[in-house]
Amino acid sequence: MKYTLGVDVGGTFTDLFVLSDAGQVFVHKTPSTPANPARAIVDGAKELCKKFDIAPSDVTRFCHGTTVATNALIQRRGGKVCMITTRGFKDVIEIARQVRPKYYDLYEDYPAPLVKRQDRFEITERVGFDGRVVKQIDRDELVRIVDSIELGGYDACAICLLFSYNNPKHERIIAEEVRRRLPNLRLSVSSEVQPEFREYERFSTTVLNGYLLSVMTEYMKTLEQGVAENFGNTQLGVNQSSGGLMSVNRAQLFPIRTALSGPAAGVVGAIEVARQAGRKKVITLDMGGTSADVALIRDYGFDISLDRAIEGFPVRLPSIDIDSVGAGGGSVAWLDLDGLIKVGPESAGSYPGPACYKRGGTKPTVSDANLLLGRLSNRGLLNGTMPLDISLSQTAIKPLSEKLGLEEKRTAQGILSIVVANMVRAVRGISVERGLDPREYTLLAFGGAGPLHASAVAHALNMKEILVPPSPGILCAQGLVVSDLIERFVRTIRLPLDDDKAGEKLFEALAELRADAERWLQTEELLPHVQRSSDVVVDMRYRGQNFELSVPLTGVQPQGAAEELRNAFFAAHERNYGFHNPKDPVEIVNLRLIESVKLYNAKALQVSKTTIEEPVPEETRAVYYDQEAPLQAPVYDRAKFQPGMKFTGPAIVEQLDATTVVFPGDQVVIQENGSMLITVN
């Protein structure tokens, strides 16, 4: 038997999900080790193998989602970076777009650049917008710049030249000279990181990548060593923000691609669960200890966003379109100056964590409110191995309730109402505000705290269904296991669609991208018979527009490509903006090739429905819902559920990695894959 292991590192827990080639599933959770995340990963994997009698040598693939890059940006603990750029453009990363991050906040500003002004070096050279060399690179000046860099004690160097996406020759000359003279200096080259137009976003992304190089390289080496020592020659893959895995070597070269990889893995896992349940239209709710992430799935696919901000820094890289809000189990409740209660974005984190964790936390949190209202068990988390103290929750909430003039349980209900309202606002942002009706979608709840609040969110939005995966708290790790190996290639071409040879020029550029893809496959040492697939996407806009829309190219011949793209663009424009003008000139901006390699094909386990229609509760306890008085709710052990079982709320469903709250009147049916389908009353 061979196994694939997925590991997702969170702020509080490290989640592990194992899938055998026969379709068997094993899950495990272990406390995270923020000082050295690799230790929790390796130790947790060893614990799982021992727990389920799996030989470490039988783990053939190790898939990993990491928060190391994100945490390095949050804590500003990346490497010391210098920058080489075209003369006259060293202030691009500071001037930016000359717009405020918040229009009506006079005090809010962008974060300080990660490269100080004295660490930015200008070189005399110039490439035109069309890729033509206007001024040759000054080689003597380059030597002097490298001399200065050698004395600066830098960890990495970002090379960002004007229009290098059309002609990377000068960037390659600089990179070759720096590597020759300073072989230990890590390089981030814009024509390799993201060869697209828009100088500021490209410069910013390249600098961020350079800032993370030293941190990510050291972390990957530590992880690789730990995995090799304990699991032998296991394939190690790292998740990307755009969904899909990349090799460790690619992760070390392009660490910026991992900055939003955790939530992305959850969406990939959600698609797999939605496909098993036959639900094509899904809104995901991934709630952890610090934040809640929401995404929209249509036809088992997700939207890709090309422009994101990470800790205030713009990033021009493909990432799954996910909206986040500061609403998690550790979100702190507090009183604002106006005397009104607020929840988040401050979080108690994993240490000290909520007061009920008994780690020294004193601030009232969402988890404390859930425990006080009976929604979480006094026995604690992780099947009772992590006990909770309800008296500490009451002590933490009491000062807040006294200021509000309310009883503690009433204050706890208010805390949950506010955190639910924050998540409802996030769901409306990706649905109602885009012209979509959330009532037509199924709410797929996961994360450690997602199932706790899913019923309340669904009721507030009048959604009809909730889907809770078999292991909701470990779905991100599951998403890693079912992910493909993916690499994305891009070429800026700026081609008018009314050009007589638009189709031919487009396919010439596509041939170059396909050649790049073949070189990537050879570099990754992938066998020629692997199961591959390719998708071609074209970024298009009306001439004069500032932003593009991405449309697929399905044709395989130049003839007819322009007409196909024109019709696809009109449809996309109509869908996004509510109108299109067939007479306005359209242009192609970027051509993208997405190359995917299928890594895993699990066999589905044969399941049979139970003859027992309703599960037997373990106990009954008092739970506060929206009423003034508690209701006596049966508490079920999800490990004892079988396909076909049914029951009606109120109810509490407990399991290793999550707790699900079922509201009164809601009906639950256990699906063949073990998911709970909740029909909202």
Side-chain angles (χ1 to χ4, degrees), residues 97-110 546-547:
R97 291 290 176 188
Q98 301 190 53
V99 294
R100 301 197 61 81
K102 296 181 180 178
Y103 288 115
Y104 302 107
D105 189 335
L106 299 179
Y107 300 98
E108 183 77 16
D109 207 345
Y110 286 105
N546 281 335
F547 301 99

Side-chain angles (χ1 to χ4, degrees), residues 599-674:
L599 295 177
Y600 198 85
N601 289 301
K603 297 177 182 177
L605 285 176
Q606 297 297 319
V607 296
S608 57
K609 292 188 177 181
T610 180
T611 56
I612 303 172
E613 291 190 357
E614 188 171 343
V616 179
E618 302 296 307
E619 63 177 1
T620 301
R621 71 168 179 255
V623 179
Y624 285 83
Y625 289 89
D626 292 333
Q627 293 82 4
E628 294 289 338
L631 298 176
Q632 291 299 315
V635 180
Y636 297 101
D637 180 2
R638 189 170 183 182
K640 298 180 180 179
F641 285 176
Q642 297 182 38
M645 285 184 171
K646 303 176 182 179
F647 60 93
T648 303
I652 301 292
V653 180
E654 295 179 345
Q655 60 189 105
L656 169 72
D657 54 315
T659 298
T660 303
V661 174
V662 183
F663 271 38
D666 290 355
Q667 297 178 336
V668 181
V669 178
I670 310 304
Q671 304 289 288
E672 288 188 0
N673 71 329

Side-chain angles (χ1 to χ4, degrees), residues 355-401:
C356 59
Y357 279 16
K358 300 191 293 185
R359 294 175 178 168
T362 58
K363 296 179 179 180
T365 68
V366 173
S367 292
D368 293 308
N370 276 306
L371 181 61
L372 198 61
L373 296 175
R375 301 186 180 193
L376 286 176
S377 171
N378 288 330
R379 292 189 302 276
L381 307 175
L382 302 182
N383 287 341
T385 59
M386 184 177 174
L388 303 177
D389 192 328
I390 193 171
S391 64
L392 294 178
S393 295
Q394 191 164 6
T395 300
I397 291 176
K398 187 174 182 179
L400 194 63
S401 63

Side-chain angles (χ1 to χ4, degrees), residues 241 260 262-268 270-271 282-288 290-298 301-305 308 319-328 419-434 436 438 441-447 449-451 453-454 457-458 461 463 475-476:
S241 305
L260 300 169
V267 175
V268 174
I271 289 175
V282 164
I283 292 175
T284 66
L285 174 63
D286 177 9
M287 185 178 181
T290 303
S291 64
D293 304 316
V294 296
L296 195 123
I297 295 172
R298 286 178 284 188
F302 47 75
D303 291 333
I304 287 289
S305 173
R308 300 294 295 269
S319 61
I320 296 180
D321 190 8
I322 299 172
D323 193 15
S324 299
V325 62
V419 79
V420 166
N422 291 339
M423 289 186 283
V424 167
R425 187 174 67 250
V427 173
R428 289 177 61 87
I430 64 167
S431 57
V432 176
E433 293 179 14
R434 299 181 184 180
L436 303 172
Y441 289 74
T442 298
L443 185 66
L444 200 157
F446 59 100
H453 305 90
V457 172
L461 290 164
M463 299 178 75
L475 189 68
C476 289

Side-chain angles (χ1 to χ4, degrees), residues 11 157 184 206 306 399 434 497 530 609 612:
C157 175
N184 294 325
T206 305
L306 295 173
R434 299 181 184 180
L497 207 59
V530 293
K609 292 188 177 181
I612 303 172

Side-chain angles (χ1 to χ4, degrees), residues 72 146 212 236 246 255 261 359 413 512 644 661 673-674:
V146 177
L212 297 171
L236 181 58
M246 60 180 169
S261 64
R359 294 175 178 168
Q413 286 182 320
E512 295 175 2
V661 174
N673 71 329

Side-chain angles (χ1 to χ4, degrees), residues 91-226:
D91 293 321
V92 165
I93 62 171
E94 195 158 3
I95 296 172
R97 291 290 176 188
Q98 301 190 53
V99 294
R100 301 197 61 81
K102 296 181 180 178
Y103 288 115
Y104 302 107
D105 189 335
L106 299 179
Y107 300 98
E108 183 77 16
D109 207 345
Y110 286 105
L114 296 176
V115 182
K116 296 180 180 179
R117 199 168 193 271
Q118 62 266 29
D119 298 326
R120 306 172 205 159
F121 300 94
E122 294 180 318
I123 188 166
T124 302
E125 67 84 37
R126 191 60 179 263
V127 172
F129 72 94
D130 55 358
R132 182 174 53 88
V133 175
V134 177
K135 183 178 292 186
Q136 294 290 344
I137 193 167
D138 189 326
R139 300 277 186 151
D140 295 333
E141 192 175 36
L142 175 57
V143 172
R144 293 193 295 270
I145 289 174
V146 177
D147 289 340
S148 299
I149 292 175
E150 187 175 13
L151 298 174
Y154 300 105
D155 298 302
C157 175
I159 302 174
C160 312
L161 302 183
L162 200 65
F163 298 118
S164 63
Y165 58 85
N166 265 338
N167 185 350
K169 179 182 177 181
H170 286 180
E171 283 196 348
R172 290 171 181 170
I173 291 173
I174 294 172
E176 288 172 5
E177 178 67 15
V178 175
R179 287 190 178 109
R180 185 182 67 82
R181 295 270 307 279
L182 306 173
N184 294 325
L185 184 68
R186 298 178 177 91
L187 297 186
S188 178
V189 185
S190 77
S191 55
E192 298 173 357
V193 175
Q194 192 66 10
E196 289 188 49
F197 90 126
R198 289 198 174 93
E199 308 306 313
Y200 168 54
E201 286 77 9
R202 178 164 57 87
F203 282 22
S204 174
T205 305
T206 305
V207 167
L208 284 170
N209 191 68
Y211 184 72
L212 297 171
L213 279 173
S214 58
V215 174
M216 198 66 173
T217 301
E218 292 303 316
Y219 169 68
M220 280 294 147
K221 287 181 179 178
T222 302
L223 180 61
E224 261 191 309
Q225 182 179 354

